[in-house]
Amino acid sequence: MSKVILQIDGNNFYASCEQMIDPSIKGKGLVVLSNNDGCIIARNSEARKMGIPMGKPYFKLKNKLTQLNINVRSSNYELYGDISNRLMQLLRKNCEELEIYSIDEAFGTIKRPKGKCLYQWGKDLRALVYQNIGIPISIGIGETKVLSKISNHLAKKIQSNSGIFDIGIIQNKDPYLNQIKVDKVWGIGKRMSIWLKSKEITNARELRDMSSEKIKGKYGLVGLRIQSELKGNLCIPIKETTTDRKEICVSRSFSYPVDNLEDLSQAIIKYVLIASTKLRKYNQLSSAITVFMNTNTHSKDLFRSEATGKISVPTSNSKIIIEKSLSLAKEIYKPYKNFIKAGVILHKLQSDQYKQNLLFDAQNIHEELDTQRLDNVIDNINSKNGIDTINWGSSIMKNEWRPRREKLSSIKTTNMENIPIIYAN
DNA sequence: TCTGGGGTCCTAGGACCC
DNA sequence: TCTGGGGTCCTAGGACCC
């Protein structure tokens, strides 16, 4: 028995979630838009076949989508998050270890009985997920994360694989690695692939076989690790714990440019509240915050401004973080600029189990206990009744520039009001 | 008119220490 | 006049990921 790495992801995840709650759109073209209805970030296979590209601005394709009768949805992260949780729970039951890598993707491990292909095992898991969650998945199996990613790619690419591929059982991987373009290898991005191509390395096999010295000289450990994983040596371990995140970032584009500090401050407060709620959910504290704002990034006179401030005692308290962030916002704000985006980042996160207070600061501790209670009450009410049931008065966003979500589906899995009604005769 | 958002890891370089 | 060198910690920025 040897350990193998699995890489499992939901096919066209956001589009599949939308189709699952609204079966009437099945078989027809569908795209899902990013926040603010900006870009196309997911599409089903029908839309792909009709030539709709990923990542392109919605406004440029709006007419084409109408002509082709393709359904459009604003992104509904509450829905996708809920489906994701169900998926991960089911996967956890069926793997030995599980690392949740993103909303629609996980790495897992299982043991391989000596010499046995795991295709059938994958097929059974895929059927189980479809039956219980209603979402199609793909499964790649290999010796390392990089190889299991390639395996998943092949699972999707070769129709007859039906969404499952086990490259780990194959002795001579060359014919498969030859098919994988170098920029499709996990960890090789735009910059690295340009350099690799200049060295005449165009596919995964050539990357595996190139001089290690060369790649180390240019990209150090990072490059070396990718190459070693391609050779079958496990270098990037499975990380099961996911709660100890290192930073939390919340940012949004506005639907209209904002040029005054008052509106910007309201947005910042809103973002801090989202971020600090997350912080408390993960039982973490932060001791540094960055506030940033920028004008249109596609314009020649882009203006971007940011500042970071420290918080003397690590905290998860909304009020303290709001106060700090507002003073930072005031510092970096410039009049006569049309800001289209702002955000906050909480850094230096630590577990709240090891909290240290300043010495001789009893007054402060009492005040903080009070505000902590307030945070907890707000969190509880909002988690039961939906985000924004109760919130800080100053965070109410003016409707004019609140991000657009014009094509939002309902949240049929998490909100009682949206539960579908079925009439029986 | 309209172009997303949230993360991680690594490295180089500065500050500081002995 | 001479002006080391190694270690650690922190930060900003690059590159990449979904």
Side-chain angles (χ1 to χ4, degrees), chain A residues 260-270 326 329-330 394:
Chain A
N260 65 85
L261 184 59
E262 192 191 335
D263 285 353
L264 279 164
S265 300
Q266 279 181 16
I268 301 280
I269 292 173
K270 179 102 190 160
L326 288 182
K330 209 171 170 183
S394 45

Side-chain angles (χ1 to χ4, degrees), chain A residues 42-191:
Chain A
R43 62 198 168 154
N44 66 359
S45 55
E46 286 82 359
R48 190 180 61 236
K49 281 176 203 152
M50 287 187 257
I52 302 300
M54 284 280 276
K56 289 282 178 304
Y58 173 49
F59 74 89
K60 285 189 179 171
L61 288 155
K62 210 168 176 173
N63 287 340
K64 193 175 178 188
L65 291 165
T66 314
Q67 275 165 25
L68 292 168
N69 210 11
I70 291 176
N71 293 289
V72 179
R73 294 283 183 273
S74 301
S75 41
N76 186 343
Y77 288 103
E78 208 175 341
L79 172 69
Y80 313 148
D82 182 53
I83 306 298
S84 173
N85 288 338
R86 296 170 193 218
L87 173 64
M88 297 307 169
Q89 273 178 35
L90 189 58
L91 294 181
R92 190 164 271 145
K93 279 188 197 155
N94 286 276
C95 300
E96 287 180 11
E97 303 161 277
L98 192 79
E99 171 184 342
I100 298 168
Y101 184 68
S102 73
I103 193 161
D104 72 329
E105 192 177 315
F107 288 102
T109 60
I110 53 164
K111 293 260 167 39
R112 181 198 296 281
K114 204 169 176 6
K116 192 174 176 221
C117 177
L118 292 166
Y119 185 83
Q120 188 57 45
W121 178 88
K123 213 173 162 187
D124 293 343
L125 179 61
R126 191 171 194 269
L128 184 74
V129 168
Y130 193 72
Q131 191 190 346
N132 284 273
I133 317 286
I135 295 284
I137 57 167
S138 296
I139 305 173
I141 304 165
E143 295 93 328
T144 65
K145 281 187 173 173
V146 169
L147 285 172
S148 68
K149 272 274 193 187
I150 286 175
S151 203
N152 187 306
H153 189 71
L154 293 164
K156 290 196 179 80
K157 196 176 163 192
I158 305 167
Q159 194 81 39
S160 59
N161 287 337
S162 329
I164 300 133
F165 194 67
D166 182 359
I167 204 173
I169 199 75
I170 294 163
Q171 291 298 318
N172 178 17
K173 296 181 173 53
D174 292 6
Y176 295 98
L177 297 184
N178 276 331
Q179 293 178 43
I180 306 293
K181 294 213 174 77
V182 76
D183 54 352
K184 290 274 183 269
V185 175
W186 188 53
I188 305 293
K190 216 172 166 185
R191 285 302 181 90

Side-chain angles (χ1 to χ4, degrees), chain A residues 6 162 166 211 228 291 310 374 409:
Chain A
L6 313 159
S162 329
D166 182 359
S211 146
S228 189
V291 172
K310 286 183 182 166
L374 180 60
S409 54

Side-chain angles (χ1 to χ4, degrees), chain A residues 191-219:
Chain A
R191 285 302 181 90
M192 280 170 92
S193 66
I194 290 172
W195 178 77
L196 285 166
K197 279 171 193 165
S198 78
K199 303 284 169 219
E200 297 185 334
I201 305 295
T202 62
N203 64 44
R205 189 199 50 79
E206 289 165 356
L207 174 59
R208 182 197 65 190
D209 296 340
M210 78 179 284
S211 146
S212 300
E213 286 306 309
K214 231 185 217 175
I215 194 160
K216 192 183 171 193
K218 182 76 181 173
Y219 286 105

Side-chain angles (χ1 to χ4, degrees), chain A residues 82 105 139 183 191 224 229 245 285 388 405 421:
Chain A
D82 182 53
E105 192 177 315
I139 305 173
D183 54 352
R191 285 302 181 90
L224 210 55
E229 284 244 328
R245 50 180 79 208
L285 306 171
D388 270 351
R405 288 173 99 186
I421 299 167

